[in-house]
Amino acid sequence: MTELVREVSENDQLRADIYQLLAALLRCQPSAELLQFLASLEIDASEDDSDITKAWLAVKLAAGQFTTEQLEEEYFNIFLGVGSGEILPYGSWFMTGSLMDKPLALLRQDLVQLGFERTDEVKEPEDHVAALCEVMGTLILEAPGYRQLAFYQRHIGSWIDRFCDHLARAPSAAFYATVAQLAKSFFAIEANEFEQLSLNIPVNCPGSDAEKIQPTSNELVS
């Protein structure tokens, strides 16, 4: 298969970076290096009081107040727990109220068509919110807009706002309340991005549901 070089705009690179950051924060507790990175972010809020800027400031402040040991416990309580965490970070759960349901089967079909492969060491189902963020980050850099739009609409857009609200209200959420604030603000911007994209894509655009998606060599690592 011929490998195509796709020009990535500054905005798309930033979007992909935020998806990967959210994936890292939602996959496990942040490392000391990641906390240091977040605490040292340079954020100019002097002329910008948008929700996303306020969210970045909250994350920056929180990153300087917690240790990795504290966040290991917080992450465990929220997402894992003894038997079950305080929230379930799976798309199927938010879409149907059940795990391992039809949305997961559809997701797995789409991931195969897009060329993502589940690695042996990954134990979580593919609809874990961190895995979905990783996929979106990759698609923004490597796939045309209609592929990004289709994946977002089918597997993320309908429930991600409710996930952010649940995370913000989780009893143990302190640092992760700021992560929820950042994610909610970011996905609000993404919703507008994809709404505009949907208006710009012709109805008969190649890549509709009827067309098979040609695989690439990406791997789903989480």
Side-chain angles (χ1 to χ4, degrees), residues 18-213:
I18 295 175
Y19 271 112
Q20 295 298 344
L21 173 63
L22 291 175
L25 291 170
L26 294 169
R27 186 190 310 113
C28 62
Q29 72 277 0
S31 64
E33 292 76 15
L34 182 52
L35 283 178
Q36 183 177 6
F37 167 77
L38 293 172
S40 63
L41 287 173
E42 295 183 4
I43 303 168
D44 183 6
S46 58
E47 297 181 1
D48 184 1
D49 63 348
S50 64
D51 289 343
I52 189 73
T53 298
K54 293 176 182 176
W56 279 118
L57 288 171
V59 169
K60 173 184 172 71
L61 179 62
Q65 296 178 333
F66 292 91
T67 66
T68 54
E69 291 76 16
Q70 290 172 316
L71 293 183
E72 182 177 10
E73 181 179 359
E74 182 176 333
Y75 185 92
F76 178 84
N77 290 336
I78 295 172
F79 295 106
L80 302 173
V82 179
S84 178
E86 295 167 355
I87 67 172
L88 292 171
Y90 304 104
S92 291
W93 175 261
F94 281 91
M95 284 190 273
T96 68
S98 301
L99 298 175
M100 308 296 287
D101 211 330
K102 183 178 179 181
L104 178 57
L106 294 174
L107 171 63
R108 285 172 172 168
Q109 292 176 11
D110 285 351
L111 290 174
V112 169
Q113 292 179 352
L114 287 166
F116 290 88
E117 297 179 3
R118 182 184 177 94
T119 56
D120 292 339
E121 64 269 19
V122 174
K123 306 304 179 184
E124 295 284 0
E126 293 88 337
D127 61 342
H128 190 288
V129 63
L132 294 172
C133 285
E134 286 186 336
V135 171
M136 278 303 307
T138 300
L139 292 179
I140 288 171
L141 297 179
E142 299 183 5
Y146 60 84
R147 297 288 190 223
Q148 304 168 31
L149 174 63
F151 190 88
Y152 180 85
Q153 288 182 333
R154 283 166 66 93
H155 305 298
I156 299 176
S158 66
W159 60 272
I160 194 65
D161 194 59
R162 284 182 289 123
F163 165 78
C164 294
D165 289 340
H166 281 231
L167 178 56
R169 295 194 302 266
S172 297
F175 173 80
Y176 274 93
T178 70
V179 175
Q181 180 184 355
L182 177 62
K184 187 177 179 71
S185 301
F186 173 66
F187 281 109
I189 296 172
E190 282 293 276
N192 292 330
E193 186 90 21
F194 284 116
E195 181 178 1
Q196 185 59 48
L197 181 60
S198 68
L199 295 175
N200 295 336
I201 295 177
V203 174
N204 61 347
C205 176
S208 65
D209 288 341
E211 184 190 19
K212 293 286 281 185
I213 301 174

